[in-house]
């Protein structure tokens, strides 16, 4: 950046010096034409250098705007998949299942209360007699769960919005980029745990931008950027809902 700015300054200085020399040594008739030509070349070079300086800046601004849209889509998918699993015990395999879940599903509203109760089995094993007032002996912790009612999934997660119907694509200008979602089962401690992964291809998301800069973007390695050629939520090998984007785009935990 600094080097390009230095080139702009040098170019302008050289052009000004040439114009001054021409004004001094050329005949009056030729002086005007040559001066105008040189000033035109000067402004043309300055514009080209300015454009080369602004190209990566404008690319970065547009890239980040598109990444923000894509990450918001991922966070909606994460929220909906988490809700689906809380009801069905596993993640949805398709976007169609998620749409149906929003439109027809319900969450239970429950209250949880921690309490201590007499551990009758342990007291009997140790031949402990608990008095009528409940004093003495062993107690154990229990959680009392009370169902209070239900709430529709749509009212809970997407009230006054139908964006859940378009979680499978990211719209950018006049084109759409697909969101690819897959599920799997990972064995952990003698249990099969449901996992899912959603991905968005960065090349498709940036396909109408400068392709040399897109290639550089795919090779970036930084904690402040989205590394690799995809935006990724979750994993098909690990039990995680982490996203591979930095927190400036949204919560990635």
């Amino acid at each position: 950046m600094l080097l390009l700015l230095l080139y702009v300054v040098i170019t302008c200085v050289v052009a000004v010096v040439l114009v001054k020399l021409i004004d001094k040594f050329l005949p009056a008739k030729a002086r005007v034409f040559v001066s105008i030509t040189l000033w035109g070349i000067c402004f043309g070079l300055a514009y080209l250098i300015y454009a080369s300086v602004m190209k990566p800046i404008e690319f970065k601004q547009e890239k980040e705007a598109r990444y923000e849209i894509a990450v918001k889509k991922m966070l909606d998918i994460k929220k909906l998949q988490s809700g689906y699993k809380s009801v069905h015990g596993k993640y949805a395999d398709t976007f169609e299942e998620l749409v149906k879940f929003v439109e027809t599903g319900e969450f239970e509203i429950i209250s949880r209360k921690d309490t201590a109760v007499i551990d009758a089995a342990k007291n009997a094993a140790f031949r402990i007699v608990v008095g009528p007032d409940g004093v003495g002996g062993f107690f154990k912790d229990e959680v009392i769960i009370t169902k209070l009612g239900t709430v529709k999934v749509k009212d809970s997660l997407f009230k006054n919005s139908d964006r859940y119907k378009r979680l499978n694509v990211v719209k950018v200008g006049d084109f759409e980029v697909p969101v690819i979602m897959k599920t799997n089962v990972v064995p952990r401690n003698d249990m099969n745990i449901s996992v899912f992964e959603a991905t968005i291809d960065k090349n498709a998301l940036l396909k109408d931008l400068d392709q040399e800069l897109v290639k550089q973007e795919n090779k970036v390695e930084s904690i402040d950027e989205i590394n690799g050629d995809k935006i990724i939520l979750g994993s098909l090998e690990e039990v995680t809902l982490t996203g591979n984007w930095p927190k400036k785009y949204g919560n990635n935990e």
Side-chain angles (χ1 to χ4, degrees), residues 14-112:
V14 170
V16 170
V17 171
L18 287 174
V19 169
K20 293 296 183 183
L21 290 175
I22 289 168
D23 284 340
K24 186 175 182 180
F25 295 108
L26 279 183
K29 292 183 179 180
R31 191 183 304 162
V32 175
F33 173 76
V34 175
S35 296
I36 292 174
T37 302
L38 284 175
W39 276 116
I41 293 173
C42 177
F43 286 124
L45 287 174
Y47 173 78
L48 290 175
I49 295 173
Y50 171 80
S52 67
V53 171
M54 291 303 297
K55 183 183 292 186
I57 295 174
E58 292 171 348
F59 175 84
K60 185 175 186 291
Q61 291 173 341
E62 181 63 23
K63 171 198 75 174
E64 291 182 346
R66 296 185 186 188
Y67 285 173
E68 286 182 8
I69 296 171
V71 168
K72 285 180 180 178
K73 188 78 65 172
M74 289 296 205
L75 292 176
D76 274 344
I77 294 171
K78 177 181 177 179
K79 177 172 62 177
L80 186 48
Q81 279 283 32
S82 297
Y84 186 95
K85 187 181 180 185
S86 72
V87 174
H88 296 283
K90 70 179 191 68
Y91 293 117
D93 296 316
T94 66
F95 286 108
E96 289 76 14
E97 288 180 63
L98 291 177
V99 171
K100 183 179 179 181
F101 176 62
V102 174
E103 295 178 341
T104 64
E106 293 181 335
F107 292 129
E108 288 188 350
I109 303 173
I110 61 173
S111 69
R112 300 170 63 91

Side-chain angles (χ1 to χ4, degrees), residues 143-154:
V143 178
I144 299 175
I145 298 177
T146 304
K147 181 178 176 181
L148 303 177
T150 60
V151 60
K152 293 184 180 298
V153 173
K154 189 175 189 305

Side-chain angles (χ1 to χ4, degrees), residues 122-141:
K122 194 169 184 180
N123 286 333
F126 284 90
R127 298 181 181 180
I128 296 174
V129 179
V130 180
D133 56 357
V135 177
F138 293 100
F139 288 79
K140 61 182 178 180
D141 294 327

Side-chain angles (χ1 to χ4, degrees), residues 55-68 71 200-207 209-231 244-246 248-249:
K55 183 183 292 186
I57 295 174
E58 292 171 348
F59 175 84
K60 185 175 186 291
Q61 291 173 341
E62 181 63 23
K63 171 198 75 174
E64 291 182 346
R66 296 185 186 188
Y67 285 173
E68 286 182 8
V71 168
I200 299 172
D201 187 354
K202 287 165 61 176
N203 291 290
L205 198 64
L206 308 174
K207 70 177 184 179
L209 303 182
D210 186 281
Q211 289 305 295
E212 282 302 316
L213 293 176
V214 173
K215 290 179 182 178
Q216 295 176 27
E217 171 65 19
N218 288 336
K219 296 177 182 178
V220 69
E221 292 185 7
S222 170
I223 60 174
D224 295 323
E225 298 294 341
I226 302 177
N227 299 333
D229 61 356
K230 290 181 175 61
I231 301 173
N244 72 330
W245 55 84
K248 67 181 181 180
Y249 294 118

Side-chain angles (χ1 to χ4, degrees), residues 179-191:
V179 181
I180 307 301
M181 186 174 71
K182 297 179 181 179
T183 58
N184 195 19
V185 174
V186 175
R188 288 288 185 276
N189 299 324
D190 299 325
M191 295 177 60

